[in-house]
Amino acid sequence: TAANAAQLHDAIQSAQTDAPLVITITQGFPITESTESLKIRNGRDITVKDNGTRITLDCKYRSQDKHKFFCVESGGKLTLQGKITLKGVNNGNNEQYALYVEKFGTAEIKNTVEITGFLNNGYGCVYIMGTLTMSGGKIAGNKARWGGGVYIESVGIFEMKGGSIESNQAENLGRAMYISGTFNWTGGTITGH
């Protein structure tokens, strides 16, 4: 279990290869400047879920550098499920990513997970270089320079099977998403594209 950002970070870092780990968030908390990115390393398979109630993680890190809150590194796997909300802030011209999936990393968004409120000058609030599956949840109310909700890099793969992408904005192209890579859409809804 994790009740604050430090405990969540420590739990993620304690994960062992070939041993799937489920982390239950017991209450909402902020993720601030004192917490480094929550990195899912090679060979780790981690699920982050709620405790049965809506849990909000306030992603409040403010920096002039690119920052990735949940970062799935090459060979890592992350599942976000249940009633988890990742809530961003207005970060002006800086880049902030709720979820960043590196090349050969995999992630899934399930159930009623929400990603909202990320306003910045980056490439979507969800950045895909590896593979992301969305079988549920919502990506809504975000704004970026390219791809307000999701940015799919040239080598990235986005499998959308459910959930919704809605009410996002972009300074340039792709209010819902910007597609340079592969987008397979078999379910879910996309509005405001």
Side-chain angles (χ1 to χ4, degrees):
T1 62
N4 56 54
Q7 289 179 5
L8 177 57
H9 175 266
D10 291 347
I12 287 173
Q13 295 307 307
S14 73
Q16 302 298 308
T17 57
D18 302 317
L21 175 67
V22 177
I23 302 171
T24 300
I25 308 298
T26 59
Q27 63 181 14
F29 52 79
I31 301 174
T32 62
E33 290 86 347
S34 61
T35 306
E36 73 175 76
S37 295
L38 303 169
K39 297 180 180 179
I40 315 303
R41 295 173 292 166
N42 180 34
R44 277 65 172 183
D45 179 354
I46 296 174
T47 297
V48 176
K49 69 182 191 70
D50 67 281
N51 66 346
T53 61
R54 173 61 59 183
I55 299 289
T56 298
L57 303 180
D58 288 306
C59 301
K60 294 183 176 181
Y61 188 92
R62 293 182 181 274
S63 170
Q64 294 184 354
D65 300 321
K66 179 188 297 183
H67 187 75
K68 310 161 188 175
F69 285 95
F70 283 93
C71 178
V72 185
E73 297 184 333
S74 178
K77 180 181 178 182
L78 171 67
T79 302
L80 296 172
Q81 72 178 49
K83 303 173 184 176
I84 296 284
T85 297
L86 303 182
K87 185 178 180 181
V89 296
N90 188 340
N91 207 49
N93 288 325
N94 304 318
E95 296 183 36
Q96 298 265 312
Y97 300 98
L99 175 60
Y100 195 103
V101 186
E102 295 185 351
K103 191 175 182 180
F104 304 122
T106 60
E108 182 172 3
I109 297 171
K110 301 175 67 173
N111 308 127
T112 58
V113 169
E114 295 183 8
I115 298 176
T116 187
F118 287 82
L119 310 175
N120 63 81
N121 199 32
Y123 296 81
C125 66
V126 174
Y127 191 103
I128 307 168
M129 291 183 68
T131 300
L132 173 66
T133 300
M134 186 174 183
S135 56
K138 181 189 298 185
I139 300 172
N142 304 285
K143 182 179 180 180
R145 183 163 41 133
W146 301 90
V150 177
Y151 187 91
I152 309 170
E153 182 57 89
S154 59
V155 294
I157 300 171
F158 183 24
E159 304 273 356
M160 187 172 181
K161 301 177 180 181
S164 66
I165 301 173
E166 58 189 72
S167 303
N168 298 287
Q169 301 177 57
E171 288 291 336
N172 295 305
L173 297 175
R175 285 182 291 170
M177 67 178 71
Y178 187 95
I179 305 169
S180 283
T182 301
F183 176 51
N184 296 319
W185 186 12
T186 58
T189 60
I190 300 171
T191 57
H193 54 281

